[in-house]
Protein backbone atom coordinates (compact mmCIF):
# COMPACT_ATOMS: atom_id res chain seq x y z
CA UNK A 1 0.00 0.00 0.00
CA UNK A 2 2.82 2.44 0.89
CA UNK A 3 4.73 2.03 -2.41
CA UNK A 4 1.54 2.51 -4.44
CA UNK A 5 0.58 5.59 -2.46
CA UNK A 6 4.06 7.04 -2.82
CA UNK A 7 4.07 6.41 -6.56
CA UNK A 8 0.71 8.20 -6.95
CA UNK A 9 1.97 11.07 -4.84
CA UNK A 10 5.11 11.50 -6.91
CA UNK A 11 3.17 11.32 -10.16
CA UNK A 12 1.08 14.25 -8.95
CA UNK A 13 4.20 16.17 -7.95
CA UNK A 14 6.13 15.51 -11.12
CA UNK A 15 4.04 14.05 -13.96
CA UNK A 16 5.73 12.77 -17.15
CA UNK A 17 7.25 15.56 -19.20
CA UNK A 18 7.68 17.98 -16.32
CA UNK A 19 11.31 18.66 -15.50
CA UNK A 20 11.03 21.74 -13.31
CA UNK A 21 11.67 21.56 -9.57
CA UNK A 22 9.37 21.94 -6.57
CA UNK A 23 9.16 25.69 -7.13
CA UNK A 24 6.27 25.12 -9.54
CA UNK A 25 4.14 24.03 -6.57
CA UNK A 26 4.38 27.48 -5.10
CA UNK A 27 4.22 29.54 -8.30
CA UNK A 28 0.50 29.60 -8.84
CA UNK A 29 0.33 25.95 -9.91
CA UNK A 30 -0.50 24.39 -6.57
CA UNK A 31 -3.99 23.64 -7.86
CA UNK A 32 -2.47 20.75 -9.80
CA UNK A 33 -2.58 18.76 -6.53
CA UNK A 34 -6.03 18.86 -4.96
CA UNK A 35 -5.78 19.31 -1.21
CA UNK A 36 -8.17 16.46 -0.46
CA UNK A 37 -5.98 14.07 -2.47
CA UNK A 38 -2.87 15.13 -0.57
CA UNK A 39 -4.62 14.59 2.74
CA UNK A 40 -5.88 11.15 1.73
CA UNK A 41 -2.45 10.07 0.54
CA UNK A 42 -0.80 11.32 3.72
CA UNK A 43 -3.38 9.54 5.88
CA UNK A 44 -3.01 6.27 3.97
CA UNK A 45 0.76 6.29 4.30
CA UNK A 46 0.61 7.21 7.99
CA UNK A 47 -1.88 4.45 8.87
CA UNK A 48 0.04 1.81 6.94
CA UNK A 49 3.37 2.85 8.40
CA UNK A 50 1.84 2.70 11.89
CA UNK A 51 0.58 -0.83 11.34
CA UNK A 52 4.11 -1.92 10.38
CA UNK A 53 5.89 -0.33 13.32
CA UNK A 54 3.51 -0.27 16.27
CA UNK A 55 1.67 -3.58 16.29
CA UNK A 56 0.31 -4.96 19.55
CA UNK A 57 -1.28 -8.32 20.29
CA UNK A 58 -2.85 -8.31 23.73
CA UNK A 59 -4.84 -10.75 25.79
CA UNK A 60 -5.05 -12.93 28.84
CA UNK A 61 -4.20 -16.48 29.90
CA UNK A 62 -6.63 -18.12 32.33
CA UNK A 63 -6.22 -21.32 34.30
CA UNK A 64 -9.13 -23.78 34.33
CA UNK A 65 -9.37 -26.05 37.34
CA UNK A 66 -7.97 -25.94 40.85
CA UNK A 67 -4.21 -26.35 41.04
CA UNK A 68 -2.54 -28.04 43.99
CA UNK A 69 -1.29 -25.51 46.56
CA UNK A 70 2.27 -24.32 46.07
CA UNK A 71 4.75 -25.82 48.50
CA UNK A 72 6.82 -23.82 50.95
CA UNK A 73 10.53 -24.31 50.26
CA UNK A 74 11.67 -24.66 53.85
CA UNK A 75 15.26 -25.27 52.82
CA UNK A 76 15.68 -21.60 51.89
CA UNK A 77 15.40 -20.31 55.45
CA UNK A 78 17.09 -23.42 56.85
CA UNK A 79 20.22 -22.75 54.81
CA UNK A 80 22.84 -20.78 56.76
CA UNK A 81 23.40 -18.30 53.92
CA UNK A 82 20.04 -18.24 52.20
CA UNK A 83 18.17 -17.70 55.45
CA UNK A 84 19.85 -14.29 55.75
CA UNK A 85 18.75 -13.06 52.31
CA UNK A 86 15.40 -14.82 51.86
CA UNK A 87 12.73 -12.52 50.46
CA UNK A 88 9.64 -13.55 52.38
CA UNK A 89 8.43 -17.13 52.37
CA UNK A 90 9.85 -18.98 49.37
CA UNK A 91 7.37 -21.21 47.54
CA UNK A 92 7.28 -23.30 44.41
CA UNK A 93 5.95 -21.48 41.32
CA UNK A 94 4.26 -24.24 39.32
CA UNK A 95 0.92 -22.45 38.88
CA UNK A 96 0.98 -18.77 39.82
CA UNK A 97 -2.66 -17.68 39.61
CA UNK A 98 -4.28 -14.28 40.17
CA UNK A 99 -7.52 -13.62 42.02
CA UNK A 100 -9.65 -14.03 38.88
CA UNK A 101 -7.84 -17.08 37.53
CA UNK A 102 -5.26 -15.23 35.42
CA UNK A 103 -2.22 -17.46 34.90
CA UNK A 104 1.25 -15.97 35.18
CA UNK A 105 4.50 -17.28 33.70
CA UNK A 106 3.03 -18.32 30.35
CA UNK A 107 5.11 -17.69 27.24
CA UNK A 108 2.87 -16.32 24.46
CA UNK A 109 4.37 -16.06 20.99
CA UNK A 110 3.70 -16.10 17.26
CA UNK A 111 3.97 -19.76 16.28
CA UNK A 112 2.99 -19.58 12.58
CA UNK A 113 2.75 -16.83 10.00
CA UNK A 114 6.30 -15.50 9.96
CA UNK A 115 7.93 -18.28 7.96
CA UNK A 116 10.71 -17.05 5.67
CA UNK A 117 10.99 -13.69 7.42
CA UNK A 118 13.99 -12.49 9.37
CA UNK A 119 14.15 -9.85 12.09
CA UNK A 120 16.98 -8.03 13.86
CA UNK A 121 18.04 -9.39 17.23
CA UNK A 122 17.16 -6.99 20.08
CA UNK A 123 20.15 -5.12 21.44
CA UNK A 124 18.70 -5.25 24.96
CA UNK A 125 19.68 -8.05 27.30
CA UNK A 126 17.38 -10.49 29.07
CA UNK A 127 18.38 -10.69 32.74
CA UNK A 128 18.06 -13.76 34.92
CA UNK A 129 19.01 -12.95 38.51
CA UNK A 130 19.79 -15.07 41.55
CA UNK A 131 18.43 -13.18 44.53
CA UNK A 132 17.29 -14.48 47.90
CA UNK A 133 18.37 -17.94 46.74
CA UNK A 134 15.75 -17.98 44.00
CA UNK A 135 15.99 -17.45 40.26
CA UNK A 136 14.17 -14.29 39.18
CA UNK A 137 12.20 -14.38 37.01
CA UNK A 138 11.06 -17.97 37.10
CA UNK A 139 10.02 -17.87 33.44
CA UNK A 140 11.64 -15.69 30.80
CA UNK A 141 12.05 -15.57 27.03
CA UNK A 142 14.65 -14.30 24.57
CA UNK A 143 15.21 -14.26 20.84
CA UNK A 144 17.82 -16.60 19.37
CA UNK A 145 21.07 -14.66 19.33
CA UNK A 146 19.97 -12.23 22.05
CA UNK A 147 22.25 -11.83 25.06
CA UNK A 148 21.06 -13.38 28.31
CA UNK A 149 22.74 -11.79 31.33
CA UNK A 150 22.92 -14.19 34.28
CA UNK A 151 23.52 -12.37 37.55
CA UNK A 152 24.25 -13.26 41.16
CA UNK A 153 22.82 -10.68 43.54
CA UNK A 154 23.49 -12.76 46.66
CA UNK A 155 26.65 -12.27 48.76
CA UNK A 156 27.77 -15.90 48.39
CA UNK A 157 28.32 -18.45 45.66
CA UNK A 158 25.76 -19.87 43.27
CA UNK A 159 26.40 -21.98 40.24
CA UNK A 160 24.42 -21.95 37.01
CA UNK A 161 23.90 -25.32 35.35
CA UNK A 162 22.19 -25.16 31.95
CA UNK A 163 22.02 -28.09 29.56
CA UNK A 164 19.90 -27.33 26.46
CA UNK A 165 18.54 -30.18 24.36
CA UNK A 166 18.56 -28.56 20.91
CA UNK A 167 21.72 -28.93 18.85
CA UNK A 168 23.43 -25.59 18.46
CA UNK A 169 22.60 -24.37 21.95
CA UNK A 170 25.68 -24.80 24.11
CA UNK A 171 25.35 -25.98 27.68
CA UNK A 172 27.40 -24.65 30.56
CA UNK A 173 27.97 -25.10 34.28
CA UNK A 174 29.58 -22.03 35.78
CA UNK A 175 30.25 -20.77 39.30
CA UNK A 176 29.37 -17.23 40.34
CA UNK A 177 31.33 -16.85 43.53
CA UNK A 178 30.80 -13.19 44.37
CA UNK A 179 27.91 -10.76 44.61
CA UNK A 180 27.34 -8.78 41.44
CA UNK A 181 28.89 -11.33 39.10
CA UNK A 182 27.30 -11.30 35.63
CA UNK A 183 27.91 -13.81 32.86
CA UNK A 184 26.53 -13.15 29.38
CA UNK A 185 25.34 -16.13 27.37
CA UNK A 186 23.73 -16.52 23.95
CA UNK A 187 21.49 -19.32 22.68
CA UNK A 188 21.60 -19.60 18.90
CA UNK A 189 18.60 -21.87 18.24
CA UNK A 190 14.91 -21.75 19.21
CA UNK A 191 14.11 -23.99 22.17
CA UNK A 192 11.26 -23.99 24.66
CA UNK A 193 11.81 -24.27 28.39
CA UNK A 194 15.59 -24.44 28.78
CA UNK A 195 16.15 -25.37 32.41
CA UNK A 196 18.39 -23.32 34.71
CA UNK A 197 19.52 -24.99 37.92
CA UNK A 198 21.85 -24.28 40.83
CA UNK A 199 23.65 -27.36 42.16
CA UNK A 200 24.58 -25.54 45.36
CA UNK A 201 20.90 -24.89 46.13
CA UNK A 202 18.89 -27.61 44.36
CA UNK A 203 15.50 -25.90 44.75
CA UNK A 204 16.67 -23.04 42.54
CA UNK A 205 15.06 -23.62 39.12
CA UNK A 206 14.10 -21.33 36.24
CA UNK A 207 13.17 -21.75 32.58
CA UNK A 208 14.08 -19.76 29.48
CA UNK A 209 12.32 -20.10 26.11
CA UNK A 210 14.27 -19.04 23.04
CA UNK A 211 12.36 -17.78 19.99
CA UNK A 212 13.27 -17.38 16.32
CA UNK A 213 11.75 -13.88 16.21
CA UNK A 214 11.05 -11.01 18.66
CA UNK A 215 7.25 -11.39 18.84
CA UNK A 216 6.65 -12.93 22.26
CA UNK A 217 5.73 -12.04 25.82
CA UNK A 218 5.40 -13.64 29.25
CA UNK A 219 2.07 -13.26 31.06
CA UNK A 220 2.15 -11.20 34.26
CA UNK A 221 0.73 -12.03 37.69
CA UNK A 222 -2.79 -11.27 36.42
CA UNK A 223 -2.39 -13.43 33.32
CA UNK A 224 -2.16 -10.45 30.96
CA UNK A 225 0.29 -10.25 28.08
CA UNK A 226 1.21 -7.85 25.28
CA UNK A 227 3.28 -8.75 22.23
CA UNK A 228 4.69 -5.56 20.75
CA UNK A 229 6.87 -4.75 17.78
CA UNK A 230 7.07 -4.41 14.01
CA UNK A 231 4.55 -7.17 13.33
CA UNK A 232 2.94 -6.78 9.86
CA UNK A 233 -0.82 -7.02 9.48
CA UNK A 234 -1.89 -10.54 8.59
CA UNK A 235 -3.06 -13.90 9.89
CA UNK A 236 -1.09 -15.76 12.53
CA UNK A 237 -1.23 -18.70 14.91
CA UNK A 238 -0.37 -17.74 18.47
CA UNK A 239 0.69 -20.25 21.11
CA UNK A 240 0.50 -19.95 24.88
CA UNK A 241 3.07 -22.26 26.46
CA UNK A 242 3.04 -23.04 30.18
CA UNK A 243 5.86 -25.11 31.64
CA UNK A 244 3.46 -27.37 33.57
CA UNK A 245 0.08 -26.84 31.89
CA UNK A 246 1.29 -27.38 28.33
CA UNK A 247 0.44 -25.42 25.19
CA UNK A 248 -2.70 -24.16 23.47
CA UNK A 249 -2.98 -22.23 20.21
CA UNK A 250 -5.33 -19.70 18.65
CA UNK A 251 -5.57 -18.16 15.19
CA UNK A 252 -5.69 -14.37 15.03
CA UNK A 253 -5.65 -11.64 12.43
CA UNK A 254 -3.71 -8.44 13.02
CA UNK A 255 -5.54 -5.48 11.46
CA UNK A 256 -4.32 -1.93 11.72
CA UNK A 257 -1.60 -3.14 14.05
CA UNK A 258 -4.04 -4.58 16.61
CA UNK A 259 -5.27 -8.03 17.63
CA UNK A 260 -6.34 -9.82 20.79
CA UNK A 261 -6.39 -13.39 22.02
CA UNK A 262 -7.61 -15.29 25.08
CA UNK A 263 -6.21 -18.63 26.21
CA UNK A 264 -7.40 -21.20 28.71
CA UNK A 265 -4.94 -23.72 30.11
CA UNK A 266 -6.21 -26.64 32.17
CA UNK A 267 -4.62 -27.94 35.32
CA UNK A 268 -2.80 -31.16 34.55
CA UNK A 269 -3.81 -34.23 36.55
CA UNK A 270 -1.29 -35.32 39.17
CA UNK A 271 1.06 -38.00 37.93
Amino acid sequence: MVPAACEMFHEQLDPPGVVDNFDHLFAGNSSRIPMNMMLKLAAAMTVTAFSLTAAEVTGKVTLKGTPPPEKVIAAVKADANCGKVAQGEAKTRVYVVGADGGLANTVVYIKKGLEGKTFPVPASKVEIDQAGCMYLPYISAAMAGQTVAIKNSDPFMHNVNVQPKVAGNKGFNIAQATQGTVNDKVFEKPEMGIRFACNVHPWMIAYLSVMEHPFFAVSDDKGNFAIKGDLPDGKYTVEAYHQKGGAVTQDIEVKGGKASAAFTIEVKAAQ
Side-chain angles (χ1 to χ4, degrees), residues 86-181:
Q87 301 176 8
E89 187 175 55
K91 292 185 178 182
T92 57
R93 296 169 284 181
V94 179
Y95 290 106
V96 178
V97 186
D100 61 350
L103 180 62
N105 295 329
T106 305
V107 180
V108 185
Y109 68 102
I110 303 296
K111 186 178 180 67
K112 295 180 180 179
L114 294 172
E115 293 78 7
K117 294 181 174 64
T118 58
F119 301 92
V121 176
S124 60
K125 296 182 180 181
V126 174
E127 183 176 277
I128 299 177
D129 197 4
Q130 297 162 102
C133 286
M134 298 288 282
Y135 274 113
L136 302 172
Y138 177 58
I139 301 292
S140 55
M143 183 176 172
Q146 186 175 8
T147 300
V148 178
I150 307 165
K151 181 179 180 180
N152 178 12
S153 289
D154 287 333
F156 44 81
M157 189 182 77
H158 289 297
N159 87 296
V160 185
N161 189 347
V162 179
Q163 304 301 323
K165 298 178 181 180
V166 171
N169 286 335
K170 296 180 181 179
F172 52 89
N173 190 352
I174 57 175
Q176 293 189 319
T178 58
Q179 188 175 37
T181 300

